[in-house]
Coordinates of all heavy atoms in Angstrom, one line a residue:
M395 N -21.6 -59.8 -50.4 CA -20.7 -60.7 -51.0 C -21.5 -61.7 -51.9 O -21.0 -62.0 -53.0 CB -20.0 -61.5 -49.9 CG -18.9 -62.3 -50.5 SD -17.6 -61.3 -51.2 CE -16.5 -62.5 -51.7
R396 N -22.7 -62.0 -51.5 CA -23.5 -63.0 -52.3 C -24.0 -62.3 -53.6 O -24.0 -63.0 -54.6 CB -24.7 -63.4 -51.4 CG -25.6 -64.4 -52.0 CD -25.0 -65.8 -52.3 NE -24.9 -66.5 -51.0 CZ -24.4 -67.7 -50.9 NH1 -23.9 -68.3 -52.0 NH2 -24.3 -68.3 -49.8
K397 N -24.3 -61.0 -53.5 CA -24.7 -60.3 -54.7 C -23.6 -60.2 -55.7 O -23.8 -60.4 -56.9 CB -25.3 -58.9 -54.4 CG -26.6 -58.9 -53.6 CD -27.0 -57.5 -53.4 CE -28.3 -57.5 -52.6 NZ -28.8 -56.2 -52.3
L398 N -22.4 -60.0 -55.3 CA -21.3 -59.9 -56.2 C -21.0 -61.3 -56.8 O -20.7 -61.4 -58.0 CB -20.0 -59.5 -55.4 CG -18.7 -59.3 -56.2 CD1 -18.9 -58.3 -57.3 CD2 -17.6 -59.0 -55.3
Q399 N -21.2 -62.3 -56.1 CA -21.0 -63.7 -56.6 C -22.0 -64.0 -57.7 O -21.7 -64.5 -58.7 CB -21.1 -64.7 -55.5 CG -20.8 -66.1 -55.9 CD -20.9 -67.1 -54.8 OE1 -21.3 -66.7 -53.7 NE2 -20.6 -68.4 -55.0
Y400 N -23.3 -63.6 -57.5 CA -24.3 -63.8 -58.5 C -24.0 -62.9 -59.7 O -24.2 -63.4 -60.8 CB -25.7 -63.4 -57.9 CG -26.2 -64.4 -56.9 CD1 -26.9 -64.0 -55.8 CD2 -26.0 -65.8 -57.1 CE1 -27.4 -64.9 -54.9 CE2 -26.5 -66.7 -56.2 CZ -27.2 -66.3 -55.1 OH -27.7 -67.2 -54.2
L401 N -23.6 -61.7 -59.5 CA -23.2 -60.9 -60.6 C -22.1 -61.5 -61.5 O -22.2 -61.5 -62.7 CB -22.8 -59.5 -60.2 CG -22.4 -58.5 -61.3 CD1 -23.6 -58.1 -62.1 CD2 -21.7 -57.3 -60.6
L402 N -21.1 -61.9 -60.9 CA -20.0 -62.5 -61.6 C -20.4 -63.8 -62.3 O -19.9 -64.1 -63.4 CB -18.8 -62.7 -60.7 CG -18.1 -61.5 -60.2 CD1 -17.0 -61.8 -59.2 CD2 -17.6 -60.6 -61.3
M403 N -21.2 -64.6 -61.7 CA -21.7 -65.8 -62.3 C -22.5 -65.5 -63.5 O -22.4 -66.1 -64.6 CB -22.5 -66.7 -61.3 CG -21.6 -67.3 -60.3 SD -22.6 -68.2 -59.0 CE -23.7 -69.2 -59.9
T404 N -23.4 -64.5 -63.4 CA -24.2 -64.1 -64.6 C -23.3 -63.6 -65.7 O -23.5 -63.9 -66.9 CB -25.2 -63.0 -64.1 OG1 -26.0 -63.5 -63.1 CG2 -26.1 -62.6 -65.3
L405 N -22.3 -62.8 -65.4 CA -21.4 -62.2 -66.4 C -20.6 -63.3 -67.1 O -20.4 -63.3 -68.3 CB -20.5 -61.2 -65.9 CG -21.2 -59.9 -65.5 CD1 -20.1 -58.9 -64.8 CD2 -21.8 -59.2 -66.7
S406 N -20.2 -64.3 -66.3 CA -19.5 -65.4 -67.0 C -20.3 -66.3 -67.9 O -19.9 -66.7 -68.9 CB -18.8 -66.3 -65.9 OG -19.8 -67.0 -65.1
V407 N -21.6 -66.5 -67.5 CA -22.5 -67.2 -68.4 C -22.8 -66.4 -69.6 O -22.8 -67.0 -70.7 CB -23.8 -67.5 -67.6 CG1 -24.9 -68.0 -68.6 CG2 -23.6 -68.5 -66.5
L408 N -22.9 -65.1 -69.6 CA -23.1 -64.3 -70.7 C -21.9 -64.3 -71.7 O -22.0 -64.3 -72.9 CB -23.5 -62.9 -70.4 CG -24.9 -62.7 -69.8 CD1 -25.0 -61.2 -69.3 CD2 -25.9 -63.1 -70.8
C409 N -20.7 -64.3 -71.1 CA -19.5 -64.4 -71.9 C -19.4 -65.7 -72.6 O -18.9 -65.8 -73.8 CB -18.2 -64.2 -71.0 SG -18.0 -62.6 -70.4
F410 N -19.8 -66.8 -72.0 CA -19.7 -68.1 -72.7 C -20.9 -68.3 -73.7 O -20.8 -69.1 -74.6 CB -19.7 -69.3 -71.7 CG -18.5 -69.4 -70.9 CD1 -18.5 -69.3 -69.5 CD2 -17.3 -69.5 -71.5 CE1 -17.3 -69.4 -68.8 CE2 -16.1 -69.6 -70.8 CZ -16.1 -69.6 -69.5
A411 N -21.9 -67.5 -73.6 CA -23.0 -67.6 -74.5 C -22.8 -66.7 -75.7 O -23.6 -66.8 -76.7 CB -24.3 -67.1 -73.8
S412 N -21.8 -65.9 -75.8 CA -21.6 -65.1 -77.0 C -21.4 -65.8 -78.3 O -21.8 -65.3 -79.3 CB -20.4 -64.1 -76.7 OG -19.2 -64.8 -76.6
P413 N -20.8 -67.0 -78.4 CA -20.8 -67.7 -79.7 C -22.1 -68.0 -80.2 O -22.4 -68.1 -81.4 CB -20.0 -69.0 -79.4 CG -19.1 -68.6 -78.2 CD -19.9 -67.7 -77.4
A414 N -23.1 -68.2 -79.3 CA -24.4 -68.5 -79.7 C -25.1 -67.3 -80.4 O -25.8 -67.4 -81.3 CB -25.3 -69.0 -78.5
F415 N -24.7 -66.1 -79.9 CA -25.2 -64.9 -80.5 C -24.6 -64.6 -81.9 O -25.1 -63.9 -82.7 CB -24.9 -63.7 -79.6 CG -25.8 -63.7 -78.4 CD1 -25.2 -63.5 -77.1 CD2 -27.1 -63.9 -78.4 CE1 -25.9 -63.5 -76.0 CE2 -27.9 -63.9 -77.2 CZ -27.3 -63.7 -76.0
A416 N -23.4 -65.2 -82.1 CA -22.7 -65.0 -83.4 C -23.2 -65.8 -84.5 O -22.9 -65.6 -85.7 CB -21.2 -65.2 -83.2
Q417 N -24.0 -66.9 -84.2 CA -24.5 -67.7 -85.2 C -25.6 -67.1 -86.0 O -26.4 -66.3 -85.4 CB -25.0 -69.0 -84.6 CG -23.9 -69.8 -84.0 CD -24.5 -71.1 -83.2 OE1 -25.7 -71.2 -83.2 NE2 -23.6 -71.9 -82.7
A418 N -25.7 -67.4 -87.3 CA -26.8 -66.8 -88.1 C -28.1 -67.5 -87.8 O -28.2 -68.7 -87.5 CB -26.5 -66.9 -89.6
T419 N -29.2 -66.7 -87.9 CA -30.5 -67.3 -87.7 C -31.0 -68.0 -88.9 O -30.3 -67.9 -90.0 CB -31.5 -66.2 -87.2 OG1 -31.5 -65.2 -88.3 CG2 -31.0 -65.6 -85.9
A420 N -32.2 -68.6 -88.9 CA -32.7 -69.3 -90.0 C -33.0 -68.3 -91.2 O -32.8 -68.7 -92.4 CB -34.0 -70.0 -89.7
G421 N -33.3 -67.1 -90.9 CA -33.5 -66.1 -92.0 C -32.3 -65.6 -92.6 O -32.3 -64.9 -93.6
G422 N -31.1 -65.9 -92.1 CA -29.9 -65.4 -92.6 C -29.3 -64.2 -92.0 O -28.2 -63.8 -92.3
S423 N -30.1 -63.5 -91.2 CA -29.5 -62.3 -90.5 C -28.9 -62.7 -89.2 O -29.2 -63.7 -88.6 CB -30.7 -61.3 -90.2 OG -31.6 -61.9 -89.3
S424 N -27.9 -61.9 -88.8 CA -27.3 -62.2 -87.5 C -27.4 -60.9 -86.6 O -27.6 -59.8 -87.1 CB -25.8 -62.5 -87.7 OG -25.1 -61.4 -88.3
I425 N -27.1 -61.1 -85.4 CA -27.2 -60.0 -84.4 C -25.9 -59.3 -84.4 O -24.8 -59.9 -84.3 CB -27.5 -60.6 -83.0 CG1 -28.9 -61.3 -83.0 CG2 -27.5 -59.4 -82.0 CD1 -29.1 -62.0 -81.7
N426 N -26.0 -58.0 -84.6 CA -24.7 -57.2 -84.6 C -24.5 -56.5 -83.2 O -25.3 -55.7 -82.8 CB -24.9 -56.1 -85.7 CG -23.6 -55.3 -85.9 OD1 -22.6 -55.7 -85.4 ND2 -23.7 -54.3 -86.7
L427 N -23.5 -57.0 -82.6 CA -23.2 -56.5 -81.2 C -22.1 -55.4 -81.2 O -21.7 -54.9 -80.2 CB -22.7 -57.6 -80.3 CG -23.8 -58.7 -80.0 CD1 -23.2 -59.8 -79.2 CD2 -25.0 -58.1 -79.4
A428 N -21.7 -55.0 -82.4 CA -20.7 -54.0 -82.5 C -21.1 -52.6 -81.9 O -20.3 -52.0 -81.2 CB -20.2 -53.8 -84.0
P429 N -22.3 -52.1 -82.2 CA -22.7 -50.9 -81.5 C -22.7 -50.9 -80.0 O -22.3 -49.9 -79.4 CB -24.1 -50.6 -82.0 CG -24.2 -51.4 -83.3 CD -23.3 -52.6 -83.1
I430 N -23.0 -52.0 -79.4 CA -22.9 -52.1 -78.0 C -21.5 -52.0 -77.5 O -21.2 -51.3 -76.5 CB -23.6 -53.4 -77.5 CG1 -25.1 -53.4 -77.8 CG2 -23.4 -53.6 -76.0 CD1 -25.8 -54.7 -77.6
G431 N -20.6 -52.7 -78.2 CA -19.2 -52.7 -77.8 C -18.6 -51.3 -78.0 O -17.8 -50.9 -77.2
I432 N -19.0 -50.7 -79.1 CA -18.5 -49.3 -79.4 C -18.9 -48.4 -78.3 O -18.2 -47.5 -77.8 CB -18.9 -48.9 -80.8 CG1 -18.2 -49.7 -81.8 CG2 -18.8 -47.4 -81.0 CD1 -18.8 -49.5 -83.2
G433 N -20.2 -48.5 -77.9 CA -20.7 -47.6 -76.9 C -20.0 -47.8 -75.5 O -19.7 -46.9 -74.8
L434 N -19.8 -49.1 -75.2 CA -19.2 -49.4 -73.9 C -17.7 -48.9 -73.9 O -17.2 -48.4 -72.9 CB -19.2 -50.9 -73.7 CG -20.6 -51.5 -73.2 CD1 -20.5 -53.0 -73.1 CD2 -21.0 -50.9 -71.9
G435 N -17.0 -49.1 -75.1 CA -15.6 -48.7 -75.2 C -15.5 -47.2 -75.0 O -14.6 -46.7 -74.3
L436 N -16.4 -46.4 -75.7 CA -16.3 -45.0 -75.6 C -16.7 -44.5 -74.2 O -16.1 -43.6 -73.6 CB -17.2 -44.3 -76.6 CG -17.1 -42.8 -76.7 CD1 -15.7 -42.4 -77.1 CD2 -18.0 -42.3 -77.8
A437 N -17.7 -45.1 -73.6 CA -18.1 -44.7 -72.2 C -17.0 -45.0 -71.2 O -16.7 -44.2 -70.3 CB -19.4 -45.5 -71.8
L438 N -16.3 -46.1 -71.4 CA -15.2 -46.5 -70.5 C -14.1 -45.5 -70.6 O -13.5 -45.1 -69.7 CB -14.8 -47.9 -70.8 CG -13.8 -48.6 -69.8 CD1 -14.4 -48.7 -68.4 CD2 -13.3 -49.9 -70.4
A439 N -13.7 -45.2 -71.9 CA -12.6 -44.3 -72.1 C -12.9 -42.9 -71.6 O -12.1 -42.3 -70.9 CB -12.3 -44.2 -73.6
A440 N -14.1 -42.4 -71.9 CA -14.5 -41.1 -71.4 C -14.6 -41.0 -69.9 O -14.1 -40.0 -69.3 CB -15.8 -40.7 -72.0
G441 N -15.1 -42.0 -69.3 CA -15.3 -42.0 -67.8 C -13.9 -42.1 -67.1 O -13.7 -41.3 -66.2
L442 N -13.1 -43.0 -67.6 CA -11.8 -43.1 -66.9 C -10.9 -41.9 -67.2 O -10.1 -41.5 -66.3 CB -11.1 -44.4 -67.3 CG -11.8 -45.7 -66.8 CD1 -11.1 -46.9 -67.4 CD2 -11.8 -45.7 -65.3
C443 N -11.0 -41.3 -68.4 CA -10.2 -40.1 -68.6 C -10.7 -38.9 -67.8 O -10.0 -38.1 -67.3 CB -10.3 -39.7 -70.1 SG -9.3 -40.7 -71.2
G444 N -12.0 -38.9 -67.5 CA -12.6 -37.9 -66.6 C -12.1 -38.0 -65.2 O -11.7 -37.1 -64.5
L445 N -12.0 -39.3 -64.8 CA -11.4 -39.5 -63.4 C -10.0 -39.1 -63.4 O -9.5 -38.6 -62.4 CB -11.6 -41.0 -63.1 CG -13.0 -41.5 -62.7 CD1 -13.0 -43.0 -62.5 CD2 -13.5 -40.8 -61.5
G446 N -9.2 -39.4 -64.4 CA -7.8 -39.0 -64.5 C -7.6 -37.5 -64.5 O -6.7 -37.0 -63.8
Q447 N -8.5 -36.8 -65.2 CA -8.4 -35.4 -65.2 C -8.7 -34.8 -63.9 O -8.1 -33.8 -63.4 CB -9.3 -34.8 -66.3 CG -8.8 -35.0 -67.7 CD -9.7 -34.4 -68.8 OE1 -10.9 -34.2 -68.5 NE2 -9.2 -34.2 -69.9
G448 N -9.7 -35.3 -63.2 CA -10.0 -34.9 -61.9 C -8.9 -35.1 -60.9 O -8.6 -34.2 -60.1
K449 N -8.3 -36.2 -61.0 CA -7.1 -36.5 -60.1 C -6.0 -35.6 -60.4 O -5.3 -35.1 -59.5 CB -6.7 -38.0 -60.3 CG -5.5 -38.4 -59.5 CD -6.0 -39.0 -58.2 CE -4.7 -39.6 -57.6 NZ -4.8 -39.7 -56.2
A450 N -5.7 -35.3 -61.7 CA -4.6 -34.4 -62.0 C -4.8 -33.0 -61.6 O -3.9 -32.3 -61.0 CB -4.4 -34.5 -63.5
T451 N -6.1 -32.6 -61.7 CA -6.4 -31.2 -61.3 C -6.3 -31.1 -59.8 O -5.8 -30.1 -59.3 CB -7.8 -30.8 -61.8 OG1 -7.9 -31.0 -63.2 CG2 -8.2 -29.4 -61.5
A452 N -6.8 -32.1 -59.1 CA -6.8 -32.0 -57.6 C -5.3 -32.0 -57.1 O -5.0 -31.3 -56.2 CB -7.5 -33.3 -57.0
S453 N -4.5 -32.8 -57.8 CA -3.0 -32.8 -57.4 C -2.4 -31.4 -57.7 O -1.6 -30.9 -56.9 CB -2.3 -33.9 -58.1 OG -2.8 -35.1 -57.7
A454 N -2.8 -30.8 -58.8 CA -2.2 -29.5 -59.1 C -2.6 -28.4 -58.2 O -1.9 -27.6 -57.7 CB -2.6 -29.1 -60.6
V455 N -3.9 -28.5 -57.8 CA -4.4 -27.5 -56.8 C -3.8 -27.7 -55.5 O -3.4 -26.7 -54.8 CB -6.0 -27.6 -56.7 CG1 -6.5 -26.8 -55.6 CG2 -6.6 -27.1 -58.0
E456 N -3.6 -28.9 -55.1 CA -2.9 -29.2 -53.8 C -1.4 -28.7 -53.9 O -0.9 -28.1 -52.9 CB -2.9 -30.7 -53.5 CG -2.3 -31.0 -52.2 CD -2.3 -32.5 -51.9 OE1 -3.1 -33.2 -52.6 OE2 -1.6 -33.0 -51.0
A457 N -0.8 -28.9 -55.0 CA 0.6 -28.4 -55.1 C 0.7 -26.9 -55.1 O 1.6 -26.3 -54.5 CB 1.2 -28.9 -56.4
L458 N -0.3 -26.2 -55.7 CA -0.4 -24.8 -55.7 C -0.6 -24.3 -54.2 O -0.1 -23.2 -53.8 CB -1.4 -24.2 -56.6 CG -1.1 -24.3 -58.1 CD1 -2.2 -23.9 -58.9 CD2 0.1 -23.3 -58.3
A459 N -1.4 -25.0 -53.5 CA -1.7 -24.6 -52.1 C -0.5 -24.7 -51.2 O -0.3 -23.9 -50.3 CB -2.9 -25.4 -51.5
R460 N 0.4 -25.7 -51.5 CA 1.6 -25.9 -50.7 C 2.7 -24.9 -51.1 O 3.5 -24.5 -50.3 CB 2.1 -27.3 -50.9 CG 1.2 -28.3 -50.2 CD 1.7 -29.7 -50.5 NE 0.8 -30.7 -50.0 CZ 1.0 -31.3 -48.8 NH1 2.0 -31.1 -48.1 NH2 0.1 -32.2 -48.4
N461 N 2.8 -24.6 -52.4 CA 3.9 -23.8 -52.9 C 3.3 -22.8 -54.0 O 3.4 -23.2 -55.2 CB 5.0 -24.7 -53.4 CG 6.2 -23.9 -53.8 OD1 6.3 -22.6 -53.5 ND2 7.2 -24.5 -54.3
P462 N 2.8 -21.7 -53.7 CA 2.2 -20.8 -54.7 C 3.2 -20.2 -55.6 O 2.9 -19.8 -56.7 CB 1.6 -19.7 -53.9 CG 1.4 -20.2 -52.5 CD 2.5 -21.2 -52.3
G463 N 4.5 -20.2 -55.2 CA 5.5 -19.6 -56.1 C 5.9 -20.5 -57.3 O 6.5 -20.0 -58.2
A464 N 5.5 -21.8 -57.2 CA 5.7 -22.7 -58.3 C 4.6 -22.7 -59.4 O 4.5 -23.7 -60.2 CB 6.0 -24.1 -57.8
R465 N 3.8 -21.7 -59.4 CA 2.6 -21.7 -60.2 C 2.9 -21.9 -61.7 O 2.3 -22.7 -62.4 CB 1.8 -20.4 -60.0 CG 0.5 -20.4 -60.9 CD -0.2 -19.0 -60.8 NE -1.4 -19.0 -61.5 CZ -1.5 -18.8 -62.8 NH1 -0.4 -18.7 -63.5 NH2 -2.6 -18.8 -63.4
P466 N 3.9 -21.2 -62.3 CA 4.1 -21.3 -63.8 C 4.5 -22.8 -64.2 O 4.0 -23.3 -65.1 CB 5.2 -20.4 -64.1 CG 5.2 -19.4 -62.9 CD 4.7 -20.1 -61.8
G467 N 5.4 -23.4 -63.4 CA 5.8 -24.7 -63.7 C 4.7 -25.7 -63.5 O 4.5 -26.6 -64.4
I468 N 3.9 -25.6 -62.5 CA 2.8 -26.5 -62.2 C 1.7 -26.3 -63.3 O 1.2 -27.3 -63.8 CB 2.2 -26.3 -60.8 CG1 3.3 -26.7 -59.7 CG2 0.9 -27.1 -60.6 CD1 2.9 -26.3 -58.3
F469 N 1.4 -25.1 -63.6 CA 0.4 -24.8 -64.6 C 0.8 -25.4 -66.0 O -0.1 -26.0 -66.7 CB 0.2 -23.3 -64.7 CG -1.0 -23.0 -65.6 CD1 -2.3 -23.2 -65.2 CD2 -0.8 -22.4 -66.9 CE1 -3.3 -22.8 -66.0 CE2 -1.8 -22.1 -67.7 CZ -3.1 -22.3 -67.3
T470 N 2.1 -25.3 -66.3 CA 2.5 -25.9 -67.6 C 2.3 -27.4 -67.7 O 1.8 -27.9 -68.6 CB 4.0 -25.5 -67.9 OG1 4.1 -24.1 -67.8 CG2 4.5 -26.0 -69.2
F471 N 2.8 -28.0 -66.6 CA 2.7 -29.5 -66.6 C 1.2 -30.0 -66.4 O 0.9 -31.0 -66.9 CB 3.5 -30.1 -65.5 CG 5.0 -30.1 -65.8 CD1 5.9 -29.4 -65.0 CD2 5.5 -30.7 -66.9 CE1 7.2 -29.3 -65.3 CE2 6.8 -30.7 -67.2 CZ 7.7 -30.0 -66.4
L472 N 0.4 -29.2 -65.8 CA -1.0 -29.5 -65.7 C -1.7 -29.5 -67.0 O -2.4 -30.4 -67.4 CB -1.7 -28.5 -64.7 CG -3.3 -28.7 -64.7 CD1 -3.7 -30.0 -64.0 CD2 -3.9 -27.5 -63.9
I473 N -1.5 -28.4 -67.8 CA -2.1 -28.3 -69.1 C -1.5 -29.4 -70.0 O -2.3 -30.0 -70.8 CB -1.8 -26.9 -69.7 CG1 -2.5 -25.8 -68.9 CG2 -2.2 -26.8 -71.2 CD1 -4.0 -26.0 -68.8
L474 N -0.3 -29.7 -70.0 CA 0.3 -30.8 -70.8 C -0.3 -32.1 -70.4 O -0.7 -32.9 -71.3 CB 1.8 -30.8 -70.6 CG 2.6 -31.8 -71.5 CD1 2.5 -31.4 -72.9 CD2 4.1 -31.8 -71.0
G475 N -0.4 -32.4 -69.1 CA -1.0 -33.6 -68.7 C -2.5 -33.8 -69.1 O -2.9 -34.8 -69.5
L476 N -3.2 -32.7 -68.9 CA -4.6 -32.7 -69.3 C -4.8 -32.9 -70.8 O -5.7 -33.6 -71.3 CB -5.3 -31.5 -68.9 CG -5.5 -31.3 -67.4 CD1 -6.2 -29.9 -67.1 CD2 -6.4 -32.4 -66.8
A477 N -3.9 -32.4 -71.6 CA -3.9 -32.6 -73.1 C -3.7 -34.0 -73.4 O -4.3 -34.6 -74.3 CB -2.9 -31.7 -73.7
F478 N -2.7 -34.6 -72.7 CA -2.4 -36.0 -73.0 C -3.6 -36.9 -72.6 O -3.9 -37.9 -73.3 CB -1.2 -36.5 -72.2 CG 0.1 -36.0 -72.9 CD1 1.2 -35.7 -72.1 CD2 0.3 -35.9 -74.2 CE1 2.4 -35.3 -72.6 CE2 1.4 -35.5 -74.8 CZ 2.5 -35.2 -74.0
I479 N -4.2 -36.6 -71.5 CA -5.3 -37.4 -71.0 C -6.5 -37.3 -72.0 O -7.2 -38.3 -72.3 CB -5.7 -37.0 -69.6 CG1 -4.6 -37.4 -68.6 CG2 -7.1 -37.7 -69.2 CD1 -4.9 -36.8 -67.2
E480 N -6.8 -36.1 -72.4 CA -7.9 -35.8 -73.4 C -7.6 -36.5 -74.7 O -8.5 -36.9 -75.4 CB -8.1 -34.3 -73.5 CG -9.3 -34.0 -74.3 CD -10.6 -34.4 -73.6 OE1 -10.6 -34.4 -72.4 OE2 -11.6 -34.6 -74.3
S481 N -6.3 -36.5 -75.1 CA -6.0 -37.1 -76.4 C -6.3 -38.6 -76.4 O -6.7 -39.2 -77.4 CB -4.5 -36.9 -76.7 OG -3.7 -37.7 -75.9
L482 N -6.3 -39.3 -75.2 CA -6.6 -40.7 -75.2 C -8.1 -40.9 -75.5 O -8.5 -41.8 -76.2 CB -6.4 -41.3 -73.8 CG -4.9 -41.4 -73.4 CD1 -4.8 -41.8 -71.9 CD2 -4.2 -42.3 -74.2
T483 N -9.0 -40.0 -75.0 CA -10.4 -40.1 -75.4 C -10.6 -39.9 -76.9 O -11.4 -40.5 -77.5 CB -11.2 -39.1 -74.5 OG1 -10.9 -39.4 -73.2 CG2 -12.7 -39.3 -74.8
L484 N -9.9 -38.9 -77.4 CA -10.1 -38.6 -78.8 C -9.5 -39.7 -79.7 O -10.1 -40.0 -80.7 CB -9.3 -37.2 -79.1 CG -10.0 -36.0 -78.5 CD1 -9.1 -34.8 -78.8 CD2 -11.4 -35.8 -78.9
F485 N -8.4 -40.3 -79.3 CA -7.9 -41.5 -80.1 C -9.0 -42.6 -80.0 O -9.2 -43.3 -81.0 CB -6.6 -42.0 -79.5 CG -5.4 -41.1 -79.8 CD1 -4.4 -40.9 -79.0 CD2 -5.4 -40.4 -81.0 CE1 -3.3 -40.1 -79.3 CE2 -4.3 -39.5 -81.3 CZ -3.3 -39.4 -80.5
T486 N -9.6 -42.8 -78.9 CA -10.6 -43.8 -78.8 C -11.8 -43.5 -79.7 O -12.3 -44.4 -80.4 CB -11.1 -44.0 -77.3 OG1 -10.0 -44.2 -76.5 CG2 -12.1 -45.1 -77.2
L487 N -12.2 -42.3 -79.8 CA -13.3 -41.9 -80.7 C -12.9 -42.1 -82.1 O -13.7 -42.6 -82.9 CB -13.6 -40.4 -80.4 CG -14.8 -39.8 -81.2 CD1 -16.1 -40.5 -80.7 CD2 -14.9 -38.3 -81.0
V488 N -11.7 -41.8 -82.5 CA -11.2 -42.0 -83.9 C -11.2 -43.5 -84.2 O -11.7 -43.9 -85.3 CB -9.8 -41.4 -84.1 CG1 -9.2 -41.8 -85.4 CG2 -9.9 -39.8 -84.1
I489 N -10.7 -44.3 -83.3 CA -10.7 -45.7 -83.6 C -12.1 -46.3 -83.7 O -12.4 -47.1 -84.5 CB -9.9 -46.4 -82.4 CG1 -8.4 -46.1 -82.6 CG2 -10.1 -47.9 -82.5 CD1 -7.6 -46.5 -81.4
I490 N -13.0 -45.8 -82.9 CA -14.4 -46.2 -83.0 C -15.0 -45.8 -84.3 O -15.7 -46.6 -84.9 CB -15.2 -45.7 -81.8 CG1 -14.8 -46.5 -80.5 CG2 -16.7 -45.8 -82.0 CD1 -15.4 -45.9 -79.3
F491 N -14.7 -44.6 -84.8 CA -15.3 -44.2 -86.1 C -14.7 -45.1 -87.2 O -15.3 -45.4 -88.2 CB -15.0 -42.8 -86.4 CG -16.0 -41.9 -85.7 CD1 -15.6 -40.7 -85.1 CD2 -17.4 -42.2 -85.6 CE1 -16.5 -39.8 -84.5 CE2 -18.3 -41.4 -85.0 CZ -17.9 -40.2 -84.4
I492 N -13.4 -45.5 -87.1 CA -12.8 -46.4 -88.1 C -13.4 -47.7 -88.0 O -13.7 -48.3 -89.1 CB -11.3 -46.5 -87.8 CG1 -10.6 -45.1 -88.2 CG2 -10.7 -47.6 -88.6 CD1 -9.2 -45.0 -87.8
M493 N -13.7 -48.2 -86.8 CA -14.3 -49.6 -86.7 C -15.8 -49.6 -87.2 O -16.3 -50.7 -87.6 CB -14.3 -50.0 -85.3 CG -12.9 -50.3 -84.7 SD -12.0 -51.5 -85.6 CE -12.9 -53.0 -85.1
I494 N -16.5 -48.5 -87.2 CA -17.9 -48.5 -87.6 C -18.0 -48.7 -89.1 O -18.8 -49.4 -89.6 CB -18.5 -47.1 -87.3 CG1 -18.8 -47.0 -85.8 CG2 -19.8 -46.9 -88.0 CD1 -19.3 -45.7 -85.3
K495 N -17.0 -48.2 -89.9 CA -17.1 -48.4 -91.4 C -16.7 -49.7 -91.8 O -16.5 -50.7 -91.7 CB -16.1 -47.4 -92.0 CG -16.6 -46.0 -91.9 CD -15.8 -45.0 -92.7 CE -16.4 -43.7 -92.5 NZ -16.0 -42.7 -93.5

């Protein structure tokens, strides 16, 4: 519990320190944190979509084990659901490429 408290305190301090990172230095250059945010966004989207796909596949396999006769309907909805889940990751990738420019 103590480690979690220290972690949350550190993260809150870093969040409040972000305006200091946005200020320009004496040389006129500023720190660009966009690539870090882009990487975190894509990693979060890909990781959570992977978890969603695993859960959907596990549920479909369990449904097939309980009722093998319903295979065509379950398979259709499984493929449709996996396509929707995968499209979320692809939309995130497109938005990230738009934000890079």
